[in-house]
Amino acid sequence: MALGETQSHAADHIAVADLTDDQAAQELERLAQAVAQANVAYHTNDAPDITDAEYDALKRRNSAIEARFPGLKRSDSPSDQVGGAVAEGFGKIAHRVRMLSLENGFADDDVTEFDQRVRRYLNLSDDAPLAYTAEPKIDGLSLSLRYENGQLIQAATRGDGEVGENVTANARTIADIPHVLTGAPALLEVRGEVYMSHADFAALNDRQAASGGKTFANPRNAAAGSLRQLDASITKSRPLRFFAYAWGDLSDPLGATQSGSIERLKSLGFMVNPLTCVCDGPADLLAHYHQIEAQRATLGYDIDGVVYKVDNLELQRRLGFRSTTPRWALAHKFPAELAWTLLEAIDIQVGRTGALSPVARLRPVTVGGVVVSNATLHNEDYIAGIGGDGQPIRGGKDIRVGDWVQVYRAGDVIPKVADVDLSKRPQGTEKYVFPDTCPKCGSAAPREPGDAIRRCSGGLICPAQAVEKLKHFVSRAAFDIEGLGAKQIEMFFADDTLPIREPADIFTLAARDSANLTRLKNRDGFGETSAKKLFQAIDDKRKIPLGRLIFALGIRHVGENGSSILAQHYGTWDAFESAMTAARIGEGPEWQDLLNIDGVGEVLAASVITTLQQQAERASIDRLVAELDVQPAQARAVADSPVAGKTVVFTGTLEQMTRAEAKARAEALGAKVAGSVSAKTDIVVAGPGAGSKAAKAEELGILTLDEQGWLDLIGGA
Ligand code: IVH
């Protein structure tokens, strides 16, 4: 909506100084709407319909009115949408090729093991040549750029790897990113890292401080905050850079090797990192790692490790992916950063499965550019100076409140307390006594034999567990409800008029608030529009894929991968829930069936059964499912796959590929791979030395193939 088309309002041309209270409120409402509409036009529809200057004028008038009438500031005020977390408001883009993360290694041994794993998977001997690329791991944020017929048409952040944010307008303001390519494949997705140099970061922080704006903790945060701006003119004013190091969707290959493809990207006009090189094995990789590490301080931008990738792209294809990381790459991180500070207190947090986690409250200290005031202390034994194997750690030194402790952080992981300086221990400190009851609900918190963790036994009556379960339920990989994050969950949980105490309550919220939205509307932070938006966002998630639902339940030992495996196996909620209801731990056909699933062990199996059979827990799950439309797990749609939906068992020795590769390829073709033969098995692939499984297959009349027969069946796939 252009400014000229704005509905005529009585107040919209009155000077701020002359506005009455009523007129000011009316104006703030109009401005909030106008800015919101402009944002949608600009970001979601990618079709701005007012100029940058007009947009700025709307915002300036809004701020001026708020400054004069602070009490009238709206919860959806446009002035809160500048410069901070601005994720809402970006359009979403589903990546056609997922954006993955990397497996991390820290020690030199991790590099040799990586090489060994790759060789084993590919069935290569130790002396067969195998080249890798090595390049700095840039500490910024990844971006995917889509070019069609040489034109930059879309830029998306990584997001959760499947769906990212549309930051096309912002990416276009980055000088290192070409808008037009000549001689590129018709379709090309270039991936790389947006970052900010040290010098630009320092200058930006100086400017921000001088203008009273927000300063950033480190170049990475500055780059992220600058890219994820709803107002692209802000991005433009920030000196962002881009290194290309990978690709996604492609119409034609860029080359036969990783290094060749990167060269090609360079010749197309992208910045590629000059320290990239090809190495011929772990020793060479390590030498290059140390070389890059030595140059780290003088590079002028942050790097946090060195990335190794198998150079040959055909081998990369064969190696394929685990659930979130490629098998053909390793991020070799630089050693953790350290600092010493005072341990001011130890707090106990209660997690969704009841685990009591000790958290160190520290005198704030900068560790590798980030201010740290909390760190994990792991568990009771760790504080006492006992390791996971029962042996002393830190020479048996315990950790006490008042101690001088060493904190370290490696990459994005939660900082840890590593060591304690006994020479600085003040007199009169006492050994920390770990609570044996839950600090939140008072229930007993016993330790199971062999477990270092104390767990609150309160189950659903423990408010801390309930809140954490709910936070997990709405988290990104679970229900991911827009506008309902951890903060809102805390608020709704504590509320007595319109509470959310269990997942089902989320879906009955609108019905319980049927009195014209009045309850929610009058709540802190909610206006009528945001209340309606929330109800809509909740409704949108009633339809939920089975795997996500299982993950969202927050069952101990059942992560994203386990949930997806269970969903694939059982297919529908009804099948899953009736099998879990009938199952007995340790015996019977349902138990066997569960253990037969590749990737399901006894611990996971027992945990799922226990949860689904625990009366109160089950009643709560049933109330939830009654509100949902659970989508069956589809056997992965694989075009022309002769084995999609089939259950395959591999037995005996495979000669042309390893078991891991065979399994991964079968799964990629939509087959299920099971560990043992049963009436449900469709195909048995038996290599030399196959014993009882092949015999059982014959007995049951199941199609049995040798390795070549299997390869012929799946063809060139
Ligand atoms: S390759 C399929 N190369 O690190 C693998 N990633 O921890 C695609 N990163 O999400 C990534 N420098 O944002 C690759 N030279 C580099 C990198 C790099 C930084 C980031 C990237 C990725 C994250 C994983």
Side-chain angles (χ1 to χ4, degrees), residues 5-29:
E5 292 163 29
T6 313
Q7 261 191 333
S8 148
H9 274 270
D12 62 2
H13 287 108
I14 303 177
V16 174
D18 298 329
L19 289 169
T20 65
D21 278 24
D22 281 351
Q23 286 169 332
Q26 198 186 349
E27 264 299 84
L28 288 176
E29 183 179 0

Side-chain angles (χ1 to χ4, degrees), residues 549-566:
L549 169 62
I550 296 176
F551 175 68
L553 296 179
I555 302 168
R556 202 173 147 202
H557 303 298
V558 185
E560 265 182 272
N561 201 24
S563 308
S564 128
I565 291 174
L566 290 170

Side-chain angles (χ1 to χ4, degrees), residues 518-577:
T518 40
R519 289 204 234 160
L520 189 50
K521 197 176 96 181
N522 295 331
R523 187 83 62 72
D524 277 353
F526 278 99
E528 181 157 336
T529 323
S530 50
K532 278 192 180 145
K533 238 172 89 180
L534 176 61
F535 294 153
Q536 186 58 49
I538 292 172
D539 259 349
D540 289 347
K541 293 291 163 86
R542 283 184 199 270
K543 213 171 173 173
I544 193 86
L546 178 59
R548 269 193 188 247
L549 169 62
I550 296 176
F551 175 68
L553 296 179
I555 302 168
R556 202 173 147 202
H557 303 298
V558 185
E560 265 182 272
N561 201 24
S563 308
S564 128
I565 291 174
L566 290 170
Q568 288 289 337
H569 182 79
Y570 290 100
T572 63
W573 172 260
D574 287 347
F576 172 66
E577 100 25 56

Side-chain angles (χ1 to χ4, degrees), residues 100-102 135-138 142 158 193 245 307 309 326 328:
L100 297 163
S101 49
L102 294 168
E135 67 200 65
K137 184 170 188 303
I138 316 298
S142 49
R158 175 162 176 252
E193 202 84 353
Y245 52 63
V307 183
K309 300 170 185 168
W328 41 264

Side-chain angles (χ1 to χ4, degrees), residues 264-304:
R264 178 86 192 282
L265 288 177
K266 185 176 173 190
S267 71
L268 286 170
F270 290 94
M271 295 296 170
V272 302
N273 196 283
L275 300 180
T276 308
C277 74
V278 180
C279 299
D280 66 8
D284 205 11
L285 289 174
L286 286 171
H288 199 63
Y289 170 87
H290 290 297
Q291 218 172 25
I292 292 180
E293 190 181 26
Q295 296 180 61
R296 184 179 184 189
T298 56
L299 287 178
Y301 50 87
D302 276 352
I303 63 173
D304 57 349

